[in-house]
Amino acid sequence: MNMWVKTLIGILVIVALVGFLWLIMGLPGVLSREPQVIGVLEHVIIDSPAGPVDIIAKVDTGADFSAIDRSLALSLGFKPSDTETKAVMTEIGLQERPTLRFKYKIGTHEINSLATVSDRSSFSTQMLIGREDIKGLIVDPSRDFLTTPESRPPVQFFGFLNTVDSQLSRIIPIIPILGTAVVILRLLAGVRTYGIFAPTIIAVTLLSLGIIPGFPVYVFLIVTGIVVKILVLDRLNLPQVAVLSLIIFLLVLLMVGITSLPAGFTLSFNIIFFPLIISTYIVEQASKSITEHGVVQAMSLLISTLVTALLLTLYASFLIEQSATVLWTFFAVSIAATIAAGQYLGLRLSELIRFKFLRRTHVH
Amino acid sequence: MFTNRFFTYPPLGMNRRNRLIRKGNPLVSLRQVKDKLGLRSILSQNGIPTPHTYNVIHDFTDLKLIPSFSDEFVVKPDRGYGGKGIILLKRNGERFVNPSKDVYSESDIKRHIRRILDGEYSGYIAQDIAIIEQRLYPSAKLQFRHAYGLPDIRIWCFQFKPVMSMLRYPTFESKGRSNLSAGGVGIGIDLATGRPTYVHVKTMTLVERRLEDLEIPHDFVIPRWEEIKEMAVKCSKIANLQMTGVDIILDSDDQIVVLEVNGRPGLEIQNINEDSILRKISP
């Protein structure tokens, strides 16, 4: 083996090992840095002399310190300190209150608390959680019990079947259904496109952006890409991989330009990422085809790609409106339809036109 | 079926062709014929003449090692398809020209070879091999009007029997490539007699031509027709492919030379012959 190859493999292995170690050592740290969201009411587990006790506490972001009910503290075996006191502003003015140091947990989050002790018998909760205790946590005031295992929705294997609020979980089953549409268009109608499933990915993007600004903007993107590739990039005499990379630069510049326009949309990462690679491929293939087969053939293929994407977008926007039951019926039917379309051995619709010299009407 | 309303006899379509390829053309054999060098060595081991290979360029180091180009040669990618990336060159002083009179310097040629090595003409494979080979000249018997370069004869075989055939020749527009998609002209050849039937072109930009326009004599028959058919069958058997398109040329000495065995032959030959392959292969 070549020494260079060995060196390169060595570097690769070292980088991989570093990555692996970083994952192992750093992952918990990374995860704990993810801020946990808590609701207004939360179960807390107090680490008391009588053992762990589960009570319901209320988050009060208006208070500096937490507060705990005196009789609860005493019953748990705590001894509130009268020497270490805190001044607390109440309705009746500034009050000196005894304090208590103890540990408790919200979910997996452990808190060392310095709480004031008072009579909370007239309140609905025996404990208030103040700002000092929940540094690094996020409070969602519209919800309760976000950290309690029992109150979370049960984890199901087909959990996404019931999920209706997430757009993404609805798009995922739509992608293969659109794929089936491509299969049928290709095998039965003979529709040809740049990249067999490219229109599927474009359709998903258009679904998120909306057809009306999305489609024309996408066409603009592709056409500009092709023009610049032919007029500029092809004259640089670069290898294919460099040209492809420059097309990605070009498309990103165009996308950034579009988003900065007054009427531009905000493109999220998952929206731009997939069409970027697909679009690069389309730009490259179309411009190659122009030089090889002429503008007419190249453009007809490009148009059929874009029109297919448009049809798929309409289909997808119909699907996304459906209930989960209808959507998953389409899903199952599409699997069967794909297999059925693969069995079709007859002529494709386009072949009725293609084999023009075999037609009955052809007279030599 | 509904297609009978359109066709006297329906042509072989892509769906059925692909099914027949899946059934009769094993992947191993398909890969074998796609590699021109590999196929060439197998064919010559079986005594079948193929073009002489001058240089095989695997990487940039090989490219540097070429001392000089010969006076006439062809550059082609090992795994190219559709005639892509093939250039025919002839020395003209310090430079080279192709049949369409485009001028290439040595560095132009090397740049083209680099493109081939990068796999640019070979679909989406990472890299390819460039072949520099003997440039063949056509038999004087196959020179018609408007012909521009080396005509080849495509024999479409199914289950080791010839089914349909055509003569393809390059035009000025097709830059020496005879592929129909590149703008080559196709002439249907009657399988039994070797006589031309119809002339067709595929690209929309070219005007339709008739046999009379090509000034083909009335009694014209493809020379050595029976041998050419036998050769195609022999190649199909060696390649172990039930469906093939064998590309054969007659060189300037009227010798039969096999250029290529195609394991996924196109269906345009049906238009050229105004006949259905399905009709011929149906039992």
Side-chain angles (χ1 to χ4, degrees), chain B residues 27-39 57-58 76-86 116-117 119-131 260:
Chain B
L27 282 177
V28 183
S29 313
L30 281 173
R31 205 177 302 136
Q32 202 173 41
V33 296
K34 211 162 174 240
D35 166 23
K36 292 189 181 73
L37 279 175
L39 177 73
I57 303 159
H58 292 92
K76 58 167 71 165
D78 187 39
R79 287 157 193 272
Y81 59 91
K84 284 182 185 168
I86 300 177
I116 292 176
L117 296 179
E120 197 169 329
Y121 306 102
S122 321
Y124 265 71
I125 63 171
Q127 54 185 5
D128 200 359
I129 299 167
I131 306 171
E260 209 173 310

Side-chain angles (χ1 to χ4, degrees), chain A residues 186-188 234 237-241 244 281 284-285 288 292-293 296-297 300 341-349 351-362 364, chain B residues 1-16 18-19 22 84 111 115 118-120 124 177 181 198 200 202-204 208 267-268 270-271 274-276:
Chain A
R186 195 180 175 83
L187 295 183
L188 270 62
D234 282 353
N237 268 320
L238 296 168
Q240 188 185 24
V241 62
L244 284 172
Y281 175 81
E284 203 248 351
Q285 289 295 302
K288 239 187 189 177
E292 269 174 40
H293 309 294
V296 179
Q297 204 178 329
S300 58
Q343 304 296 316
Y344 175 67
L345 294 180
L347 290 177
R348 300 173 182 179
L349 217 53
E351 287 174 334
L352 298 182
I353 301 160
R354 179 187 173 181
F355 294 112
K356 55 185 173 201
F357 299 125
L358 275 77
R359 277 210 298 262
R360 283 177 190 276
T361 47
H362 172 67
H364 202 81
Chain B
M1 232 181 31
F2 79 98
T3 44
N4 289 334
R5 292 178 54 181
F6 293 90
F7 302 107
T8 324
Y9 203 100
L12 177 65
M14 287 301 275
N15 291 343
R16 193 178 294 273
N18 290 345
R19 160 68 67 91
R22 285 198 297 275
K84 284 182 185 168
R111 197 176 295 130
R115 288 224 177 95
D118 282 340
E120 197 169 329
Y124 265 71
R177 285 156 58 184
S181 59
Y198 307 103
H200 288 295
K202 191 184 180 185
T203 43
M204 285 174 263
E208 283 286 313
L267 298 175
E268 200 55 26
Q270 298 179 101
N271 261 335
E274 302 188 6
D275 199 356
S276 160

Side-chain angles (χ1 to χ4, degrees), chain A residues 215-227:
Chain A
F215 187 69
V217 167
Y218 190 72
V219 173
F220 163 78
L221 209 71
I222 295 292
V223 171
T224 314
I226 293 169
V227 170

